[in-house]
Protein backbone atom coordinates (compact mmCIF):
# COMPACT_ATOMS: atom_id res chain seq x y z
CA UNK A 1 0.00 0.00 0.00
CA UNK A 2 1.41 3.40 -0.94
CA UNK A 3 1.21 6.54 1.19
CA UNK A 4 -1.25 7.92 -1.33
CA UNK A 5 -4.12 5.45 -1.29
CA UNK A 6 -7.30 7.28 -0.41
CA UNK A 7 -8.32 6.55 3.18
CA UNK A 8 -11.75 5.49 1.96
CA UNK A 9 -10.25 2.48 0.15
CA UNK A 10 -7.78 1.31 2.78
CA UNK A 11 -10.01 -1.54 3.97
CA UNK A 12 -11.18 -2.60 0.50
CA UNK A 13 -10.81 -6.32 -0.23
CA UNK A 14 -10.80 -6.71 -4.03
CA UNK A 15 -12.54 -9.48 -5.96
CA UNK A 16 -10.38 -12.58 -6.41
CA UNK A 17 -10.73 -13.90 -9.97
CA UNK A 18 -10.17 -17.60 -10.64
CA UNK A 19 -6.62 -18.58 -11.57
CA UNK A 20 -5.57 -17.81 -15.16
CA UNK A 21 -2.28 -19.71 -15.36
CA UNK A 22 0.27 -18.65 -17.95
CA UNK A 23 2.96 -21.35 -17.52
CA UNK A 24 1.83 -24.97 -17.28
CA UNK A 25 -1.03 -26.12 -19.56
CA UNK A 26 -4.02 -27.02 -17.38
CA UNK A 27 -7.45 -28.38 -18.18
CA UNK A 28 -9.27 -25.24 -17.06
CA UNK A 29 -12.51 -26.04 -15.30
CA UNK A 30 -12.26 -23.15 -12.82
CA UNK A 31 -13.75 -19.98 -14.35
CA UNK A 32 -16.86 -21.14 -16.23
CA UNK A 33 -15.43 -20.31 -19.64
CA UNK A 34 -16.79 -22.15 -22.66
CA UNK A 35 -14.68 -25.08 -23.86
CA UNK A 36 -15.58 -24.11 -27.43
CA UNK A 37 -13.99 -21.32 -29.49
CA UNK A 38 -16.08 -18.27 -30.41
CA UNK A 39 -18.16 -18.38 -33.59
CA UNK A 40 -16.03 -18.03 -36.76
CA UNK A 41 -18.29 -15.05 -37.64
CA UNK A 42 -17.22 -13.32 -34.41
CA UNK A 43 -13.54 -13.98 -35.11
CA UNK A 44 -13.74 -12.75 -38.72
CA UNK A 45 -15.62 -9.58 -37.79
CA UNK A 46 -13.17 -8.79 -34.98
CA UNK A 47 -10.20 -9.24 -37.35
CA UNK A 48 -11.79 -6.84 -39.84
CA UNK A 49 -12.50 -4.28 -37.10
CA UNK A 50 -8.87 -4.48 -35.93
CA UNK A 51 -7.89 -2.70 -39.15
CA UNK A 52 -9.60 0.48 -37.89
CA UNK A 53 -8.22 0.61 -34.38
CA UNK A 54 -6.93 4.16 -34.93
CA UNK A 55 -10.56 5.28 -34.52
CA UNK A 56 -12.59 5.34 -31.30
CA UNK A 57 -15.45 2.89 -31.08
CA UNK A 58 -19.07 4.07 -31.54
CA UNK A 59 -20.08 5.43 -28.11
CA UNK A 60 -23.76 4.79 -28.87
CA UNK A 61 -22.92 1.20 -29.81
CA UNK A 62 -25.92 1.49 -32.12
CA UNK A 63 -25.45 -1.46 -34.52
CA UNK A 64 -24.80 -3.91 -31.68
CA UNK A 65 -27.63 -2.49 -29.52
CA UNK A 66 -30.00 -2.94 -32.46
CA UNK A 67 -28.93 -6.52 -33.15
CA UNK A 68 -28.97 -7.51 -29.47
CA UNK A 69 -32.34 -5.81 -28.86
CA UNK A 70 -33.81 -7.64 -31.85
CA UNK A 71 -32.62 -10.94 -30.45
CA UNK A 72 -34.17 -10.11 -27.05
CA UNK A 73 -37.46 -8.93 -28.61
CA UNK A 74 -37.09 -5.39 -27.19
CA UNK A 75 -36.31 -1.92 -28.60
CA UNK A 76 -32.71 -0.68 -29.06
CA UNK A 77 -33.20 2.00 -26.38
CA UNK A 78 -34.10 -0.75 -23.92
CA UNK A 79 -30.58 -2.23 -23.99
CA UNK A 80 -27.09 -1.08 -23.08
CA UNK A 81 -23.86 -2.91 -24.00
CA UNK A 82 -20.96 -2.99 -21.55
CA UNK A 83 -17.41 -4.20 -20.99
CA UNK A 84 -18.44 -7.61 -19.66
CA UNK A 85 -21.51 -7.94 -17.46
CA UNK A 86 -19.33 -7.00 -14.49
CA UNK A 87 -19.48 -3.46 -15.86
CA UNK A 88 -23.28 -3.31 -16.14
CA UNK A 89 -23.47 -4.63 -12.56
CA UNK A 90 -21.04 -1.94 -11.44
CA UNK A 91 -23.09 0.70 -13.27
CA UNK A 92 -26.24 -0.63 -11.58
CA UNK A 93 -24.65 -0.15 -8.13
CA UNK A 94 -23.51 3.35 -9.15
CA UNK A 95 -26.86 4.30 -10.64
CA UNK A 96 -29.44 2.78 -8.30
CA UNK A 97 -27.79 2.49 -4.86
CA UNK A 98 -26.80 4.93 -2.14
CA UNK A 99 -27.30 5.38 1.61
CA UNK A 100 -31.05 5.72 1.13
CA UNK A 101 -31.21 2.84 -1.38
CA UNK A 102 -28.99 0.17 0.15
CA UNK A 103 -28.39 -3.11 -1.64
CA UNK A 104 -29.54 -6.62 -0.76
CA UNK A 105 -28.39 -9.97 -2.08
CA UNK A 106 -27.95 -13.59 -1.02
CA UNK A 107 -25.22 -14.53 1.46
CA UNK A 108 -23.99 -17.03 -1.13
CA UNK A 109 -23.92 -15.52 -4.59
CA UNK A 110 -21.62 -13.83 -7.11
CA UNK A 111 -18.69 -12.40 -5.13
CA UNK A 112 -18.50 -9.14 -7.01
CA UNK A 113 -21.75 -7.74 -5.54
CA UNK A 114 -20.24 -7.16 -2.11
CA UNK A 115 -17.00 -5.83 -3.64
CA UNK A 116 -18.88 -3.20 -5.68
CA UNK A 117 -20.95 -2.25 -2.64
CA UNK A 118 -17.81 -1.92 -0.49
CA UNK A 119 -15.99 0.10 -3.16
CA UNK A 120 -18.89 2.55 -3.41
CA UNK A 121 -19.63 2.56 0.33
CA UNK A 122 -23.15 1.28 -0.25
CA UNK A 123 -24.67 -0.42 2.80
CA UNK A 124 -25.95 -3.94 2.07
CA UNK A 125 -27.89 -6.77 3.65
CA UNK A 126 -27.03 -10.42 3.07
CA UNK A 127 -30.05 -12.68 2.85
CA UNK A 128 -29.18 -16.25 3.85
CA UNK A 129 -29.97 -19.02 1.40
CA UNK A 130 -31.94 -21.92 2.83
CA UNK A 131 -29.96 -24.90 4.16
CA UNK A 132 -30.23 -26.59 0.74
CA UNK A 133 -28.82 -23.42 -0.96
CA UNK A 134 -32.18 -22.44 -2.49
CA UNK A 135 -33.59 -18.91 -2.37
CA UNK A 136 -36.85 -18.26 -0.56
CA UNK A 137 -38.54 -15.56 -2.71
CA UNK A 138 -40.61 -14.40 0.29
CA UNK A 139 -37.34 -13.25 1.97
CA UNK A 140 -37.03 -10.66 -0.81
CA UNK A 141 -40.52 -9.16 -0.78
CA UNK A 142 -40.96 -5.51 0.37
CA UNK A 143 -37.28 -5.17 1.26
CA UNK A 144 -37.00 -1.46 0.44
CA UNK A 145 -33.57 -2.13 -1.05
CA UNK A 146 -32.00 -2.48 -4.48
CA UNK A 147 -31.93 -6.24 -5.02
CA UNK A 148 -29.24 -8.17 -6.89
CA UNK A 149 -30.39 -11.65 -7.79
CA UNK A 150 -28.20 -14.03 -9.79
CA UNK A 151 -30.51 -16.39 -11.65
CA UNK A 152 -29.29 -19.08 -11.93
CA UNK A 153 -27.26 -18.43 -8.80
CA UNK A 154 -23.50 -18.91 -8.57
CA UNK A 155 -21.67 -20.90 -7.36
CA UNK A 156 -24.64 -23.16 -6.56
CA UNK A 157 -26.02 -23.39 -10.13
CA UNK A 158 -29.60 -23.35 -8.81
CA UNK A 159 -32.27 -21.46 -10.80
CA UNK A 160 -35.45 -19.82 -9.55
CA UNK A 161 -38.52 -20.30 -11.76
CA UNK A 162 -39.74 -17.17 -13.53
CA UNK A 163 -42.90 -16.85 -11.41
CA UNK A 164 -40.73 -16.65 -8.27
CA UNK A 165 -38.51 -13.99 -9.89
CA UNK A 166 -41.64 -12.06 -10.87
CA UNK A 167 -42.91 -12.29 -7.27
CA UNK A 168 -39.71 -10.54 -6.13
CA UNK A 169 -39.96 -7.84 -8.82
CA UNK A 170 -43.67 -7.25 -8.08
CA UNK A 171 -42.95 -7.25 -4.34
CA UNK A 172 -40.52 -4.31 -4.61
CA UNK A 173 -42.25 -1.75 -6.85
CA UNK A 174 -40.23 1.18 -5.51
CA UNK A 175 -36.80 -0.40 -5.84
CA UNK A 176 -34.78 -1.71 -8.75
CA UNK A 177 -34.42 -5.49 -8.95
CA UNK A 178 -31.34 -6.54 -10.93
CA UNK A 179 -31.61 -10.09 -12.29
CA UNK A 180 -28.13 -11.29 -13.25
CA UNK A 181 -28.62 -13.86 -16.01
CA UNK A 182 -24.97 -14.70 -16.76
CA UNK A 183 -25.88 -18.40 -17.10
CA UNK A 184 -29.44 -18.12 -18.44
CA UNK A 185 -28.72 -19.80 -21.79
CA UNK A 186 -28.04 -23.16 -20.15
CA UNK A 187 -31.69 -23.78 -19.43
CA UNK A 188 -33.35 -21.03 -17.33
CA UNK A 189 -36.36 -18.95 -18.38
CA UNK A 190 -35.26 -15.33 -18.82
CA UNK A 191 -36.90 -12.38 -17.08
CA UNK A 192 -36.40 -10.22 -20.21
CA UNK A 193 -40.03 -10.98 -21.11
CA UNK A 194 -41.05 -8.91 -18.05
CA UNK A 195 -39.27 -5.63 -18.81
CA UNK A 196 -42.36 -4.04 -20.39
CA UNK A 197 -44.47 -5.01 -17.39
CA UNK A 198 -42.16 -3.69 -14.63
CA UNK A 199 -40.24 -0.41 -14.72
CA UNK A 200 -38.09 -1.56 -11.77
CA UNK A 201 -36.53 -4.56 -13.56
CA UNK A 202 -32.98 -4.60 -14.97
CA UNK A 203 -31.78 -7.88 -16.50
CA UNK A 204 -28.05 -8.36 -17.09
CA UNK A 205 -26.56 -10.87 -19.51
CA UNK A 206 -23.12 -11.75 -20.86
CA UNK A 207 -21.42 -13.04 -24.00
CA UNK A 208 -18.73 -14.65 -21.80
CA UNK A 209 -20.30 -18.06 -21.23
CA UNK A 210 -22.74 -19.38 -23.85
CA UNK A 211 -21.17 -17.31 -26.65
CA UNK A 212 -17.55 -18.23 -25.79
CA UNK A 213 -16.39 -14.62 -25.58
CA UNK A 214 -15.05 -14.22 -22.02
CA UNK A 215 -11.84 -12.69 -23.35
CA UNK A 216 -13.69 -10.10 -25.46
CA UNK A 217 -15.55 -8.66 -22.43
CA UNK A 218 -19.09 -8.05 -23.63
CA UNK A 219 -22.14 -7.78 -21.41
CA UNK A 220 -25.53 -6.12 -21.57
CA UNK A 221 -28.34 -4.62 -19.55
CA UNK A 222 -31.97 -4.92 -20.61
CA UNK A 223 -34.66 -2.78 -18.97
CA UNK A 224 -37.26 -0.12 -19.61
CA UNK A 225 -36.19 2.97 -21.53
CA UNK A 226 -35.86 5.24 -18.49
CA UNK A 227 -33.67 2.76 -16.54
CA UNK A 228 -31.39 2.39 -19.57
CA UNK A 229 -31.26 6.19 -19.99
CA UNK A 230 -30.13 6.54 -16.33
CA UNK A 231 -27.47 3.88 -16.84
CA UNK A 232 -26.29 5.69 -19.96
CA UNK A 233 -25.88 8.91 -17.96
CA UNK A 234 -23.49 7.02 -15.70
CA UNK A 235 -21.76 5.28 -18.63
CA UNK A 236 -21.17 8.58 -20.42
CA UNK A 237 -19.81 9.99 -17.15
CA UNK A 238 -17.42 7.06 -16.77
CA UNK A 239 -16.24 5.68 -20.13
CA UNK A 240 -18.37 6.28 -23.26
CA UNK A 241 -16.06 4.00 -25.29
CA UNK A 242 -16.56 1.12 -22.87
CA UNK A 243 -17.00 -1.47 -25.66
CA UNK A 244 -14.02 -1.55 -28.00
CA UNK A 245 -14.26 -1.86 -31.79
CA UNK A 246 -13.14 -5.49 -32.00
CA UNK A 247 -15.55 -6.63 -29.31
CA UNK A 248 -18.41 -4.67 -30.86
CA UNK A 249 -17.77 -6.38 -34.19
CA UNK A 250 -17.31 -9.80 -32.59
CA UNK A 251 -20.62 -9.33 -30.76
CA UNK A 252 -22.41 -8.66 -34.06
CA UNK A 253 -20.83 -11.79 -35.58
CA UNK A 254 -21.83 -13.90 -32.58
CA UNK A 255 -25.44 -12.69 -32.75
CA UNK A 256 -25.59 -13.55 -36.45
CA UNK A 257 -24.51 -17.10 -35.61
CA UNK A 258 -27.11 -17.88 -32.98
CA UNK A 259 -27.40 -21.51 -34.03
CA UNK A 260 -23.72 -22.07 -33.13
CA UNK A 261 -24.37 -20.80 -29.60
CA UNK A 262 -27.50 -22.96 -29.20
CA UNK A 263 -25.66 -26.09 -30.39
CA UNK A 264 -22.82 -25.46 -27.93
CA UNK A 265 -25.28 -24.93 -25.07
CA UNK A 266 -27.06 -28.16 -25.97
CA UNK A 267 -23.74 -30.06 -25.87
CA UNK A 268 -22.78 -28.49 -22.53
CA UNK A 269 -26.17 -29.35 -20.99
CA UNK A 270 -25.79 -32.94 -22.20
CA UNK A 271 -22.24 -33.20 -20.82
CA UNK A 272 -23.45 -31.62 -17.55
CA UNK A 273 -25.99 -34.44 -17.16
CA UNK A 274 -23.40 -37.14 -17.79
CA UNK A 275 -20.87 -35.50 -15.45
CA UNK A 276 -23.46 -35.14 -12.68
CA UNK A 277 -24.36 -38.84 -12.90
CA UNK A 278 -20.70 -39.93 -13.01
CA UNK A 279 -19.78 -37.79 -10.00
CA UNK A 280 -22.73 -39.18 -8.04
CA UNK A 281 -21.49 -42.69 -8.84
CA UNK A 282 -18.12 -41.62 -7.37
CA UNK A 283 -19.76 -40.69 -4.07
CA UNK A 284 -20.35 -36.97 -4.67
CA UNK A 285 -23.35 -34.93 -3.67
CA UNK A 286 -24.02 -32.87 -6.80
CA UNK A 287 -26.57 -30.06 -6.83
CA UNK A 288 -28.80 -30.14 -9.93
CA UNK A 289 -27.34 -27.36 -12.06
CA UNK A 290 -28.97 -24.99 -14.54
CA UNK A 291 -25.58 -23.57 -15.59
CA UNK A 292 -22.31 -24.56 -17.32
CA UNK A 293 -20.84 -25.75 -14.03
CA UNK A 294 -21.67 -28.16 -11.23
CA UNK A 295 -21.29 -27.61 -7.50
CA UNK A 296 -20.30 -30.80 -5.73
CA UNK A 297 -18.86 -32.28 -2.54
CA UNK A 298 -17.61 -35.73 -1.66
CA UNK A 299 -17.75 -37.42 1.73
CA UNK A 300 -14.38 -39.11 1.14
CA UNK A 301 -12.25 -36.01 0.47
CA UNK A 302 -12.34 -32.36 1.57
CA UNK A 303 -13.02 -29.61 -0.99
CA UNK A 304 -9.58 -28.03 -0.72
CA UNK A 305 -7.83 -31.41 -0.83
CA UNK A 306 -9.61 -32.37 -4.03
CA UNK A 307 -8.78 -28.99 -5.57
CA UNK A 308 -5.07 -29.39 -4.70
CA UNK A 309 -4.82 -33.00 -5.85
CA UNK A 310 -6.48 -32.22 -9.19
CA UNK A 311 -4.21 -29.22 -9.66
CA UNK A 312 -1.21 -31.50 -9.21
CA UNK A 313 -2.64 -33.65 -11.99
CA UNK A 314 -3.04 -30.63 -14.31
CA UNK A 315 -6.76 -29.93 -13.75
CA UNK A 316 -8.02 -26.65 -12.29
CA UNK A 317 -11.37 -26.44 -10.50
CA UNK A 318 -12.64 -23.65 -8.20
CA UNK A 319 -12.58 -23.90 -4.42
CA UNK A 320 -14.06 -21.33 -2.02
CA UNK A 321 -12.70 -21.32 1.53
CA UNK A 322 -15.83 -19.89 3.22
CA UNK A 323 -17.63 -21.79 6.01
CA UNK A 324 -20.75 -22.87 4.08
CA UNK A 325 -18.86 -23.64 0.85
CA UNK A 326 -15.56 -25.14 1.92
CA UNK A 327 -16.65 -28.79 1.46
CA UNK A 328 -17.69 -28.09 -2.12
CA UNK A 329 -15.98 -27.36 -5.41
CA UNK A 330 -17.32 -25.62 -8.49
CA UNK A 331 -16.44 -27.53 -11.64
CA UNK A 332 -16.96 -25.96 -15.07
CA UNK A 333 -18.39 -28.25 -17.73
CA UNK A 334 -15.74 -28.70 -20.41
CA UNK A 335 -15.68 -30.96 -23.45
CA UNK A 336 -16.63 -34.64 -23.11
CA UNK A 337 -12.92 -35.47 -23.35
CA UNK A 338 -11.97 -33.00 -20.59
CA UNK A 339 -14.68 -34.38 -18.32
CA UNK A 340 -13.51 -37.96 -18.98
CA UNK A 341 -9.99 -36.91 -17.92
CA UNK A 342 -11.39 -35.22 -14.80
CA UNK A 343 -13.44 -38.26 -13.78
CA UNK A 344 -10.49 -40.59 -14.33
CA UNK A 345 -8.28 -38.35 -12.17
CA UNK A 346 -10.92 -38.34 -9.41
CA UNK A 347 -11.14 -42.14 -9.58
CA UNK A 348 -7.36 -42.36 -9.24
CA UNK A 349 -7.35 -40.02 -6.26
CA UNK A 350 -10.07 -42.10 -4.58
CA UNK A 351 -8.20 -45.35 -5.21
CA UNK A 352 -5.00 -43.90 -3.78
CA UNK A 353 -6.88 -42.96 -0.59
CA UNK A 354 -8.55 -46.35 -0.07
N1 LIG B 1 -22.51 -12.68 -12.96
C1 LIG B 1 -22.20 -13.92 -12.54
C2 LIG B 1 -23.18 -14.65 -11.68
C3 LIG B 1 -20.97 -14.49 -12.90
O1 LIG B 1 -20.64 -15.71 -12.45
C4 LIG B 1 -20.09 -13.77 -13.72
C5 LIG B 1 -18.79 -14.39 -14.16
N2 LIG B 1 -17.74 -14.31 -13.32
C6 LIG B 1 -20.46 -12.48 -14.11
C7 LIG B 1 -21.68 -11.97 -13.73
C8 LIG B 1 -19.55 -11.58 -14.91
O2 LIG B 1 -19.21 -12.10 -16.13
P1 LIG B 1 -18.60 -11.19 -17.29
O3 LIG B 1 -18.09 -9.92 -16.68
O4 LIG B 1 -17.54 -12.02 -17.90
O5 LIG B 1 -19.75 -10.92 -18.21
Amino acid sequence: MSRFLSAQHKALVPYTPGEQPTGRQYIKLNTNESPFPPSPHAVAYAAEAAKSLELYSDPTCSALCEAFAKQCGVAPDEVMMTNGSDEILYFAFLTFCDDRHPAAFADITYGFYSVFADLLHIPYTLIPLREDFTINPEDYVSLGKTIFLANPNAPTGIALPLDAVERIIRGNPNNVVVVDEAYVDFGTESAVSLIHKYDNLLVTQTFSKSRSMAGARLGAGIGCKSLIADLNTIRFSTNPYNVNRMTMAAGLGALEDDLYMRENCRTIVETRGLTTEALRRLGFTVIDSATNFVFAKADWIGGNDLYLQLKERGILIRHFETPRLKDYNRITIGTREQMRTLLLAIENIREALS
Side-chain angles (χ1 to χ4, degrees):
M1 190 184 295
S2 78
R3 292 181 289 133
F4 307 106
L5 178 67
S6 161
Q8 61 177 334
H9 298 316
K10 282 198 171 144
L12 186 65
V13 180
Y15 177 70
T16 316
E19 291 160 271
Q20 297 290 354
T22 47
R24 177 175 175 181
Q25 281 282 322
Y26 286 96
I27 293 182
K28 269 193 93 272
L29 306 175
N30 66 331
T31 47
N32 300 342
E33 289 142 324
S34 172
F36 306 114
S39 151
H41 293 232
V43 176
Y45 281 27
E48 190 55 33
K51 294 176 187 163
S52 308
L53 284 182
E54 74 280 15
L55 302 173
Y56 283 109
S57 57
D58 169 15
T60 65
C61 208
S62 59
L64 185 55
C65 279
E66 239 168 73
F68 185 69
K70 192 165 165 210
Q71 183 129 115
C72 294
V74 303
D77 55 8
E78 291 168 332
V79 305
M80 187 172 113
M81 308 309 293
T82 52
N83 190 320
S85 60
D86 282 337
E87 190 181 51
I88 183 74
L89 291 166
Y90 176 58
F91 287 161
F93 274 94
L94 266 172
T95 312
F96 304 119
C97 299
D98 54 34
D99 284 349
R100 288 188 305 114
H101 305 88
F105 38 87
D107 62 338
I108 296 170
T109 190
Y110 184 36
F112 234 134
Y113 303 157
S114 57
V115 176
F116 286 143
D118 286 339
L119 171 67
L120 298 169
H121 302 286
I122 294 161
Y124 59 92
T125 305
L126 297 178
I127 304 176
L129 296 183
R130 294 185 182 114
E131 201 49 39
D132 64 356
F133 293 134
T134 57
I135 281 173
N136 178 4
E138 295 311 314
D139 291 345
Y140 290 76
V141 170
S142 303
L143 273 187
K145 300 190 163 123
T146 304
I147 294 170
F148 290 80
L149 183 75
N151 195 43
N153 198 10
T156 61
I158 300 173
L160 263 186
L162 189 58
D163 58 349
V165 175
E166 182 166 7
R167 169 95 185 94
I168 295 172
I169 301 162
R170 196 176 350 105
N172 293 277
N174 299 319
N175 289 91
V176 173
V177 177
V178 179
V179 182
D180 174 352
E181 294 189 346
Y183 301 99
V184 75
D185 294 325
F186 302 102
T188 301
E189 205 177 348
S190 171
V192 165
S193 58
L194 301 177
I195 67 146
H196 295 136
K197 198 167 163 191
Y198 299 99
D199 69 352
N200 62 325
L201 168 63
L202 177 71
V203 179
T204 66
Q205 293 188 356
T206 180
F207 283 54
S208 294
K209 318 291 178 185
S210 58
R211 295 187 193 277
S212 310
M213 283 176 49
R217 314 303 301 124
L218 185 61
I222 308 115
C224 73
K225 201 172 150 176
S226 55
L227 278 192
I228 295 297
D230 292 343
L231 286 158
N232 265 316
T233 302
I234 298 301
R235 184 172 72 89
F236 275 85
S237 310
T238 313
N239 180 11
Y241 309 110
N242 59 332
V243 181
N244 72 70
R245 268 182 179 271
M246 290 181 293
T247 295
M248 230 179 247
L252 277 172
L255 288 170
E256 261 181 31
D257 201 3
D258 206 47
L259 197 64
Y260 177 78
M261 181 272 266
R262 294 202 182 284
E263 274 291 303
N264 286 344
C265 288
R266 204 176 50 76
T267 308
I268 287 168
V269 168
E270 224 172 74
T271 311
R272 181 181 76 202
L274 295 172
T275 307
T276 302
E277 284 167 27
L279 284 171
R280 284 179 182 154
R281 280 196 296 274
L282 285 168
F284 281 79
T285 302
V286 187
I287 295 176
D288 282 327
S289 168
T291 63
N292 67 338
F293 57 83
V294 288
F295 200 51
K297 70 169 176 182
D299 50 14
W300 52 269
I301 190 166
N304 193 44
D305 254 6
L306 180 66
Y307 157 75
L308 289 173
Q309 294 220 30
L310 284 173
K311 188 171 179 183
E312 242 171 57
R313 290 166 165 78
I315 301 171
L316 283 181
I317 59 173
R318 185 82 196 252
H319 181 67
F320 300 91
E321 201 45 59
T322 51
R324 279 184 82 182
L325 304 184
K326 66 178 173 30
D327 295 338
Y328 285 82
N329 285 296
R330 193 192 67 190
I331 305 170
T332 304
I333 302 297
T335 60
R336 282 276 175 89
E337 190 51 39
Q338 287 176 326
M339 300 325 272
R340 259 196 292 273
T341 308
L342 167 84
L343 293 164
L344 210 62
I346 293 177
E347 256 177 64
N348 289 341
I349 293 167
R350 193 166 70 155
E351 263 166 35
L353 287 176
S354 62

